[in-house]
Amino acid sequence: MFTMKKASSSKSDEPAAKKPKVEGGPIKVDDFVDKFKAIRQETAKSVLDFDFKKKRIRILSDAKEVEEGKAGVVYWMSRDARVQDNWAFLFAQKLAMKNELPLHVCFSLVPKFLEATIRHFKFMLKGLEEVAKECESLNIQFHMLTGMAKDTVPKFVKAHKMGAVVCDFSPLRVPAQWVEDVRKALPAEVPLCQVDAHNVVPVWVTSEKLEYAARTIRTKVNNNLNTYLTQFPPVVKHPHKSKLKAEPIDWPKLLDTLQVDRTVDEVEWAVPGYTGGVATLQGFVEKRLRKFNAKRNDPTDDALSNLSPWFHFGQISVQRAILAVKKYGKGFSEGVASFCEEAIVRRELSDNFCYYNKNYDNLKGAYDWARKTLDDHRKDKRTHVYTRDQLEQAKTHDDLWNSAQLQMVKEGKMHGFLRMYWAKKILEWTKSPEEALETAIYLNDRYQLDGRDPNGYVGCMWSIAGIHDQGWREREVFGKIRYMNYEGCKRKFDVAAFVARYGGKVYKSK
């Protein structure tokens, strides 16, 4: 019963310059923001006139219907922090409109989250400020709740007699636990619905099991694209006004309440929020897509989409990006195909891994062959051994590695190809594979704008523990884990140019 009407209702319905370029600059009248708005309006008048795929939704509660006499519907926003092109938001509006109820959006802000720093919280909150303004213009109340969701969301629902809660989806253990805690704490009569608004094909539709590699999931994803890779209807001005008005939000004060590391501050090149993300997407389609296929593994060339920060915080839809690349990049078929492989197949493979493998961030989650080979070689002599502090400060004997680390620290985004080299060298230069994985995840989550993400965990696990890879020629320390070295990088791109750009130095071991 995915429309969940009232029971008694009768109705039937990567930066390349020394000073990074600013992504997401001033928006022009004829830019992608306006084009996407027009496309949504052409797709459907509202979500009520749209064929919403029911398998995007799963009901987590025993309650299946909205009771009579309730005061509204809540979209508990978390992973997907945007208004438009958001399947969870759209379903919440559909549910509210079907039941002729006001719509409320709640975001529950925790004062600390894993290794997130003020860099991440500023990016997130500036995006949410844009969300709040758009909600206001659409007659939708946006509420900033502070504290753990298990406390704030049920309290809000009970206090204001809300009839249903819609949440978005993350495969990671902490957000998944948030959802479970909220489910248990909600009143028994209040339905809780979850919508996968992050993946093109919902993770539970793509596969019912842990997939071994891209080759095993690719056909499953692609077979579902005709069904799920559709245009979006618009979130429209909500027809049912609420007597409950959201309290004004003091955004600077919110930042002051956070209990996070403030030494890692925001970056210059990335403008947070939906409009900033769309501008970055437009820059990619118009300037970088043409060379994406040929140059995406060259850190000295500005060929990447650079969209991962906005994808991570849910400020722009991956599905919207794919639709735009396909529509406006028809002259660059190889680039379009490569982007779709990364944005659909590889990204959804990461969500699959984290959803079905609860040890997605430790060696217990590795394949048997990888655990064995790492264990066989754990006592091998390392040519260099560095502490976490030395690695964090980019003080190794490898100027390329140091430059990649400095790029990450300064810009919040390391080039994708170098992420693999960077993580594999941590395996080579630390005392154990366990320490290597912990260090790589710590540094990734602390500095990368897209840290604490399924892609990041899988990237570290691929590099250090062979996830979604195969065994290679056996060698010291790595065993059968795929090896990368400095000379191989020199054959692929101008290492000296990259080092000159970011200033990594060679530090001799004392």
Side-chain angles (χ1 to χ4, degrees):
M1 301 180 65
F2 292 93
T3 57
M4 294 173 58
K5 295 183 287 186
K6 293 176 183 176
S8 62
S9 173
S10 62
K11 295 189 178 291
S12 62
D13 257 300
E14 243 85 40
K18 278 187 179 179
K19 290 187 177 179
K21 298 175 183 176
V22 174
E23 295 279 6
I27 303 299
K28 299 176 183 177
V29 175
D30 60 349
D31 73 349
F32 278 23
V33 169
D34 295 307
K35 288 178 180 176
F36 296 163
K37 183 177 180 180
I39 291 169
R40 284 190 289 267
Q41 291 172 341
E42 291 168 5
T43 298
K45 187 176 179 181
S46 78
V47 68
L48 289 181
D49 303 312
F50 183 79
D51 179 21
F52 197 102
K53 304 303 181 207
K54 293 181 179 180
K55 288 186 179 180
R56 289 193 186 280
I57 313 144
R58 56 183 187 174
I59 302 178
L60 304 180
S61 56
D62 292 332
K64 309 296 182 190
E65 297 177 340
V66 180
E67 283 194 345
E68 290 281 358
K70 293 296 186 178
V73 168
V74 172
Y75 168 32
W76 165 30
M77 177 182 283
S78 184
R79 191 186 190 191
D80 292 283
R82 63 186 179 276
V83 176
Q84 301 297 341
D85 303 336
N86 181 340
W87 295 119
F89 206 131
L90 284 161
F91 179 70
Q93 181 163 62
K94 179 183 176 76
L95 191 57
M97 292 170 79
K98 283 276 188 181
N99 288 279
E100 300 178 356
L101 291 171
L103 177 58
H104 297 264
V105 177
C106 294
F107 190 94
S108 195
L109 180 67
V110 292
K112 180 177 175 57
F113 181 62
L114 301 177
E115 299 299 337
T117 64
I118 200 69
R119 169 180 291 176
H120 306 102
F121 276 92
K122 282 185 176 180
F123 196 92
M124 180 181 75
L125 286 174
K126 287 180 179 178
L128 286 171
E129 190 170 359
E130 188 176 355
V131 168
K133 289 177 182 176
E134 187 171 357
C135 283
E136 185 178 9
S137 73
L138 295 172
N139 194 31
I140 297 167
Q141 300 296 312
F142 179 88
H143 307 267
M144 180 62 76
L145 312 178
T146 54
M148 297 298 293
K150 67 183 176 66
D151 303 315
T152 61
V153 175
K155 181 180 178 181
F156 181 89
V157 168
K158 293 172 186 175
H160 304 295
K161 297 182 179 179
M162 294 292 125
V165 177
V166 177
C167 65
D168 45 40
F169 164 79
S170 170
L172 302 181
R173 69 172 67 87
V174 174
Q177 189 61 51
W178 291 345
V179 172
E180 176 61 14
D181 291 342
V182 167
R183 184 190 69 79
K184 289 179 180 178
L186 282 175
E189 78 277 6
V190 176
L192 175 62
C193 306
Q194 187 172 54
V195 182
D196 187 347
H198 215 78
N199 296 295
V200 178
V201 183
V203 70
W204 48 77
V205 171
T206 296
S207 178
E208 296 179 350
K209 65 177 184 178
L210 180 69
E211 293 294 332
Y212 190 81
R215 60 181 168 77
T216 69
I217 202 174
R218 186 175 291 109
T219 300
K220 294 181 178 182
V221 171
N222 289 338
N223 285 347
N224 280 293
L225 290 184
N226 284 341
T227 300
Y228 291 97
L229 186 55
T230 66
Q231 290 292 346
F232 295 87
V235 172
V236 298
K237 188 164 185 175
H238 200 68
H240 307 290
K241 289 187 177 181
S242 174
K243 294 178 182 178
L244 171 64
K245 302 301 180 186
E247 294 182 10
I249 301 169
D250 187 333
W251 297 96
K253 187 176 179 180
L254 269 183
L255 279 174
D256 292 340
T257 66
L258 299 173
Q259 301 167 11
V260 298
D261 187 334
R262 295 174 186 271
T263 62
V264 183
D265 211 341
E266 62 189 329
V267 300
E268 295 178 359
W269 70 273
V271 176
Y274 172 75
T275 50
V278 172
T280 303
L281 172 60
Q282 183 170 352
F284 174 57
V285 171
E286 293 179 350
K287 300 174 184 177
R288 304 189 293 278
L289 178 59
R290 68 194 66 200
K291 54 185 177 179
F292 180 75
N293 182 63
K295 293 291 187 178
R296 70 184 186 278
N297 286 335
D298 185 346
T300 66
D301 204 321
D302 186 18
L304 301 184
S305 76
N306 294 332
L307 286 166
S308 64
W310 292 270
F311 286 166
H312 169 74
F313 285 102
Q315 294 176 356
I316 185 173
S317 160
V318 177
Q319 184 159 337
R320 171 58 66 196
I322 293 160
L323 292 169
V325 166
K326 282 177 168 284
K327 181 177 178 64
Y328 301 112
K330 291 178 179 176
F332 313 110
S333 58
E334 290 183 343
V336 171
S338 295
F339 178 77
C340 289
E341 169 71 13
E342 290 192 4
I344 305 176
V345 177
R346 300 287 175 168
R347 187 172 293 276
E348 301 205 6
L349 178 64
S350 294
D351 261 38
N352 169 274
F353 180 76
C354 293
Y355 184 60
Y356 289 111
N357 188 334
K358 301 311 175 187
N359 292 301
Y360 56 76
D361 57 354
N362 64 75
L363 291 183
K364 290 179 182 177
Y367 304 136
D368 290 343
W369 72 263
R371 285 201 305 273
K372 182 179 185 306
T373 198
L374 288 170
D375 200 47
D376 288 345
H377 290 271
R378 68 170 55 248
K379 293 183 180 179
D380 290 358
K381 182 176 175 58
R382 273 72 170 157
T383 56
H384 299 82
V385 176
Y386 295 108
T387 64
R388 180 179 290 187
D389 285 344
Q390 287 173 311
L391 293 169
E392 189 166 7
Q393 294 170 32
K395 291 188 174 179
T396 78
H397 65 286
D398 183 326
D399 56 358
L400 173 58
W401 193 96
N402 295 340
S403 297
Q405 172 70 13
L406 290 171
Q407 181 188 32
M408 179 175 72
V409 170
K410 292 174 183 177
E411 298 177 8
K413 187 177 186 299
M414 186 190 298
H415 189 279
F417 178 80
L418 285 176
R419 285 190 181 195
M420 299 182 287
Y421 178 78
W422 172 85
K424 286 183 175 295
K425 290 299 156 185
I426 295 176
L427 171 61
E428 190 173 348
W429 300 335
T430 48
K431 294 178 181 178
S432 70
E434 291 82 4
E435 182 181 334
L437 186 58
E438 289 171 6
T439 299
I441 289 173
Y442 168 80
L443 294 175
N444 182 80
D445 289 359
R446 177 170 167 78
Y447 292 104
Q448 301 269 27
L449 275 170
D450 61 3
R452 305 158 316 287
D453 189 271
N455 264 1
Y457 294 123
V458 169
C460 291
M461 288 286 279
W462 179 89
S463 300
I464 293 169
I467 287 299
H468 301 148
D469 204 3
Q470 62 186 31
W472 295 75
R473 181 174 70 84
E474 198 158 6
R475 61 177 69 238
E476 292 294 296
V477 181
F478 284 82
K480 295 179 180 178
I481 301 295
R482 185 193 299 252
Y483 178 71
M484 292 177 71
N485 66 7
Y486 193 99
E487 291 302 315
C489 291
K490 284 170 67 175
R491 290 191 291 270
K492 284 187 175 290
F493 63 92
D494 188 344
V495 167
F498 184 82
V499 170
R501 180 174 299 156
Y502 290 99
K505 300 176 181 178
V506 173
Y507 288 83
K508 294 182 180 179
S509 301
K510 295 182 180 178

